Amino acid sequence: MSAVIILLALIVVWALAYHRVAQWIWVTGLLVLMLAHTFIGHTPKVWLVLEWIVFILVLAPVSILFLRRRLISNAVLAWYRKVMPKMSRTEKEAIEAGTVGWEAELFSGKPQWQKLLAIPAPHLTVEEQAFIDGPVEQLCRMINDYDITQNRLDMPQEMWQFLKDNKFFAMIIPKSYGGLEFSAFANSEVLSKVYGISITVATTIGVPNSLGPAELLLRYGTEEQKNHYLPRLARGEEIPCFALTGPDAGSDASSIPDTGIVCRGQFDGKETIGIRLNWDKRYITLAPVATVLGLAFKLYDPEHLIGPEEDYGITCALIPTNMPGITIGRRHFPVNTAFLNGPTQGKDVFIPVDWIIGGTKMAGQGWRMLVECLSAGRAISLPSSGIGGGKMAALVTGAYARIRKQFNLPIGRFEGVAEALTRIGANLYYMDAARRLTMAIIDQGEHPSVLSAIMKYHATEIARRMACDTMDIHGGKGICLGPHNYLARFFQSSPIAITVEGANILTRSLIIFGQGAIRCHRYVLSELRAAQDPDIKQGEKLFDKALFGHIGLILSNIFRSLFLGLTNGRFVKAPVSSPGVGRYYQLLTRCSADFSLLADFSMIVLGSELKRKERLSARLGDILSKMYMMSSVLKRYEEEGRQGTDLPLVQWSCQNALLEIQQQIDGVLQNFPNKAISIILRCLIFPLGKPFVAPSDHLSQQVAEILLSPSATRDRLTHGAFKGNVIGEVESAFLAVIAAEPIEAKIHKAVRNGIIKNQALSALITAAVNADVITAEEHTQLLAANKARQKVIAVDDFAPEELVH
Ligand SMILES: Cc1cc2nc3c(=O)[nH]c(=O)nc-3n(C[C@H](O)[C@H](O)[C@H](O)COP(=O)(O)OP(=O)(O)OC[C@H]3O[C@@H](n4cnc5c(N)ncnc54)[C@H](O)[C@@H]3O)c2cc1C
């Protein structure tokens, strides 16, 4: 009988923990168990009394609030205050900035899938679509990127004018100020399309529409500042840039040495309270042509002219670049791209104090302003560069692999090449799914700080790998620069996106999990806030609530991980029943529980040390990122109407993500600083060993085939890519070559049957038509296809003097 009670107890405890029931249900459940044990079993009375004493001693302090605080949570709070990570004001501001949503569900260990599926799909308005089909298409046709990057080292003047006239710099500015007021999704569609053909043009458009004066003005500017600058920015009369980085403050941007001292001075012939600024900045995009400079500096007010404080901290102001004391106009030359980027210095530049963005009330708020704006901008601009490059890469590389023949076969038919094609196709689907979801989240009004770091890091890293794959497949065609090389600048410039807006090593190692652990975790931020609450009583109350929520979460994840590991998630209720897809929801739920458990134990064991254990933090960040991206793939599949032919892309992406998640979990466990805990965690997470394997060769081949043939799936995958100019020639050749393949097959058959002799291609085609193997019409079609093929495989050559400027 007691064995039955023990088994029953186990099942009850397991079920309560698994479903994360409220505390009173726990207490009731355990009480019922004890009563059953008391009245049904034959346990000696002495034992029963002892058991009841232990039961009450354990349960009472946990379930009676007054006792719980006194005996447990206040003691933990005292300890926590001692070991709590020390955070600077800028760190605190960075952590508090932005919002969290779906990523927090993944962090919880028990994602509510309906919340994901309820996020509306991103869409373009009629006006946005017309802009893409009109001015954006026209711009793409105007672009000759080789001319821009090799000959002019700038866009032609008429292109600058076209951009201004069509309000390309005003996508985020509201209509009331004369802007286009586009959604984040539209903004990213425009940028992706242009990024696919010119990094120079797209970056020039991207900067004013992401982290720049317009964004800062919109969110924090005074009415006067908005009314003055926004219409002028919308009309292109002002060209903005934003200067934060300097020689001594790169990744550690909050350490800028640039200063602004509040003082009295003469401005416009009047004595004015102003700021005397000194700065030395570099790498500033659009600075060489900027008419208005957004500047970040540290503000000091030694004479207390604007308030009681002396050291305000980072502050942002808007400064016309024609002010005396400003040096601007020199250029850097970022890996052979021609967007305008350069240094600027300011020596004793005196500006009125109300040029601070938002006025004096925003003095010292600069870091928070920047981090908050960065969270949306960073999720849009740089990921768009990866998506744009990726769409172009998938389109042309699949086509080229079908057009280019070696050993009498299109190179795409060789497994080695197909392997690289698979990576391009599936990673594009995966990365674009994440972009679509992130844009939808931003368009709902969120400013997702953790997601923006995830998107920035993964989209740019994936694009860099794609650039390598696509170059490899093109062989010498990719290497030789010239007007017909549509690839090399994408490859060459991939480190730019990696470096800017938070260099990638730092983003991966420090930011994604570092910020995610605090922002996405259900209880950590509440614990931190409670521990810092100046109202001691209130702090104790809040800390107790967060602490016991946290303990419940860990207990639940212990049981969930083990159960989901033993069953491999088979009993999880998938929110959709699409064949071939529902299983991934179950497996991702399993990963979420494992990750949540791992994250908590990493924080408990390492505490503030985790900040320095960047390898562990990076792995945990990868797990969170890959869960997010995989969930976006599942969502995209639903949004696009469960197209069965897209399944190989969905399945490859999910299987690959699961394998990578498993590898990173394994990496954390292998390197976990506490071996005993690592062994226990391994038993809970992988009770039956590591379950995930790489996608099969068969599935990989199915993905490669999507790039090698025209289809609705290929169109969906590369939707939005520019298909004109040189890229248009590749696409037409691709279609012509495929249409001519049956004609070629007839000729090869005739050669095998001895009807005609094998010979050089042009002679062979003539022999085939003469021998009536093919018709005159087919002859013309084949010649045209071969001409198109030759044009695509050709590379540019130059007279030596043409290469010297
Ligand atoms: C082309 C270009 C355009 C830019 N445009 C602008 C602009 O318009 N405005 C502006 O203000 N800035 C701009 N920047 C600056 C940019 O956004 C980066 O912040 C800056 O380049 C990073 O500093 P750094 O190059 O000095 O690298 P460093 O800070 O010297 O970093 C070097 C390496 O160390 C890594 N690293 C540093 N600290 C850590 C850490 N704690 N953990 C792990 N890794 C770490 C970094 O990830 C990087 O890989 C631009 C930069 C470039 C190259």
Side-chain angles (χ1 to χ4, degrees), residues 7 36 42 49 58 211 217 228 343 357 421 444 479 546 583 624 627-628 681 716 735 755:
L7 189 68
H42 300 287
V49 172
V58 173
L211 178 68
L217 278 171
H228 175 75
I357 299 176
L421 282 174
Q444 285 199 304
I479 303 294
R583 184 78 186 109
L624 179 62
M627 290 197 301
Y628 174 71
L681 287 174
R716 265 191 297 281
L735 299 176
I755 299 168

Side-chain angles (χ1 to χ4, degrees), residues 412-438:
R413 296 283 169 234
F414 298 109
E415 285 199 5
V417 173
E419 200 179 344
L421 282 174
T422 303
R423 281 194 295 269
I424 294 173
N427 280 325
L428 172 60
Y429 187 83
Y430 175 71
M431 160 167 86
D432 201 15
R435 177 198 61 123
R436 289 169 57 91
L437 176 57
T438 312

Side-chain angles (χ1 to χ4, degrees), residues 691-754:
F692 305 126
V693 293
S696 69
D697 288 354
H698 177 69
L699 179 60
S700 299
Q701 187 58 35
Q702 286 180 314
V703 173
E705 289 297 335
I706 290 169
L707 298 195
L708 286 168
S709 307
S711 68
T713 295
R714 180 175 180 266
D715 290 346
R716 265 191 297 281
L717 189 64
T718 58
H719 178 77
F722 177 60
K723 295 184 181 157
N725 299 359
V726 190
I727 292 171
E729 287 173 9
V730 181
E731 189 65 6
S732 313
F734 170 63
L735 299 176
V737 163
I738 290 173
E741 279 177 0
I743 310 173
E744 285 182 328
K746 279 190 193 176
I747 298 177
H748 292 311
K749 192 172 168 200
V751 171
R752 276 198 308 277
N753 293 341

